[in-house]
Amino acid sequence: MKECVLVVDDDREIVGAIALLLEKEGYGVRKAYDGMEALKVLAEHSIQLIIMDVMMPKLDGLSAMMKIRERRNLPIIVLSAKTEETDKVLGLSMGADDYVSKPFHPAELAARVKSQLRRYTRLGDIHSWNEAEEIWNGRLCYRLKERMLYADEEPIKLTATETKIIDLFMRNLGRIFPAEEIYQRVWEEPSFAPENTVMVHIRHIREKIELNPKEPEYIKVVWGIGYKMEKMENRS
């Protein structure tokens, strides 16, 4: 069964062009032209990835993404004409896994779709429960087969990208990772000025796992080098 991508943009020509590109790459495609329609399509069809514009009528892309993130962890690539760094950071902080600026190069978009789907497929359905080997670190418990993180025995809702970062950190407690290495391991592509992208995802994870995200106990910055998951005393 081929993977299906939902393409959402109020510009029908762009939706059509992306659909043709993806169909040539062997993907199934569903189309929507505003955020409300995207939510409807998502509820009625099996979708593995979303490419979504930011500026749309009825329900904008960022608002739609927040609603999707309440229920699903599938990868979302934000597509926008805005190229300012603040817009990119905003999109990533609200749950996007990747960001592509218009005008985009077809080969680049196809490569990003392939990369995101590869990581999502590798993670599998993180909501299915399997008795699994566990890594404990203080309040945190990471179930390896389930690919699910728990804090104080409560499941944490992570995106596919956030799960990959947690997987890297929990398997390597105490090890310092430069932003470049985190990007290369998680996004599985060469890094180019990845600091802001990684920082946004780290901040988002902290908001979900730390008791006080402004004074994190777990994911620490090692200034001038990178990030690490602090090794904590396990509960008895």
Side-chain angles (χ1 to χ4, degrees):
M1 184 176 175
K2 61 184 176 182
E3 294 148 316
C4 188
V5 178
L6 172 59
V7 182
V8 192
D9 197 308
D10 59 334
D11 187 323
R12 290 176 179 263
E13 287 189 10
I14 288 177
V15 171
I18 294 175
L20 283 173
L21 169 68
L22 296 177
E23 285 164 353
K24 279 180 66 178
E25 295 289 327
Y27 301 113
V29 177
R30 295 281 177 181
K31 304 172 185 177
Y33 303 101
D34 60 63
M36 293 299 291
E37 191 177 354
L39 296 178
K40 186 172 184 292
V41 172
L42 196 58
E44 295 174 353
H45 301 279
S46 175
I47 302 295
Q48 283 70 53
L49 181 142
I50 302 173
I51 298 173
M52 186 171 327
D53 186 37
V54 173
M55 303 300 292
M56 294 186 295
K58 295 185 181 178
L59 186 68
D60 66 82
L62 296 180
S63 299
M65 185 164 57
M66 289 177 68
K67 289 183 177 293
I68 292 166
R69 281 286 175 249
E70 291 173 4
R71 296 180 176 229
R72 302 285 300 276
N73 78 315
L74 78 173
I76 299 175
I77 297 175
V78 170
L79 191 66
S80 177
K82 295 183 176 181
T83 55
E84 291 84 355
E85 193 67 26
T86 52
D87 293 311
K88 178 179 179 180
V89 170
L90 179 61
L92 293 170
S93 68
M94 294 177 74
D97 294 285
D98 208 346
Y99 188 103
V100 177
S101 299
K102 298 177 186 175
F104 56 87
H105 193 286
E108 179 192 1
L109 182 59
R112 289 178 183 271
V113 167
K114 185 176 181 180
S115 174
Q116 289 294 332
L117 283 171
R118 184 171 63 240
R119 289 190 295 112
Y120 180 64
T121 302
R122 186 175 299 166
L123 289 172
D125 182 359
I126 67 169
H127 299 294
S128 64
W129 193 89
N130 290 301
E131 189 170 353
E133 186 182 346
E134 298 173 342
I135 298 174
W136 281 88
N137 189 34
R139 297 168 39 248
L140 304 181
C141 174
Y142 181 59
R143 292 182 178 163
L144 294 167
K145 290 182 183 176
E146 189 183 351
R147 299 275 183 165
M148 193 73 186
L149 181 71
Y150 293 79
D152 298 316
E153 299 181 6
E154 292 293 322
I156 304 298
K157 294 177 76 171
L158 300 173
T159 68
T161 299
E162 291 164 1
T163 300
K164 195 74 183 288
I165 293 171
I166 283 293
D167 185 271
L168 179 65
F169 281 159
M170 291 295 283
R171 290 174 188 267
N172 298 277
L173 296 175
R175 179 180 165 187
I176 303 169
F177 289 95
E180 292 83 358
E181 185 177 354
I182 295 172
Y183 190 92
Q184 288 169 4
R185 282 172 172 254
V186 172
W187 278 261
E188 297 180 2
E189 60 186 26
S191 61
F192 177 73
E195 289 80 8
N196 280 336
T197 299
V198 171
M199 177 188 68
V200 168
H201 285 287
I202 295 290
R203 187 175 70 211
H204 217 45
I205 294 170
R206 281 174 171 162
E207 289 168 357
K208 297 178 181 182
I209 70 170
E210 300 282 1
L211 296 176
N212 181 1
K214 292 183 178 178
E215 295 181 11
E217 293 180 283
Y218 286 92
I219 302 181
K220 297 284 188 74
V221 172
V222 181
W223 294 110
I225 304 176
Y227 298 90
K228 70 172 180 174
M229 172 70 78
E230 195 75 68
K231 196 167 186 177
M232 309 288 281
E233 227 178 274
N234 291 336
R235 293 177 168 181
S236 56

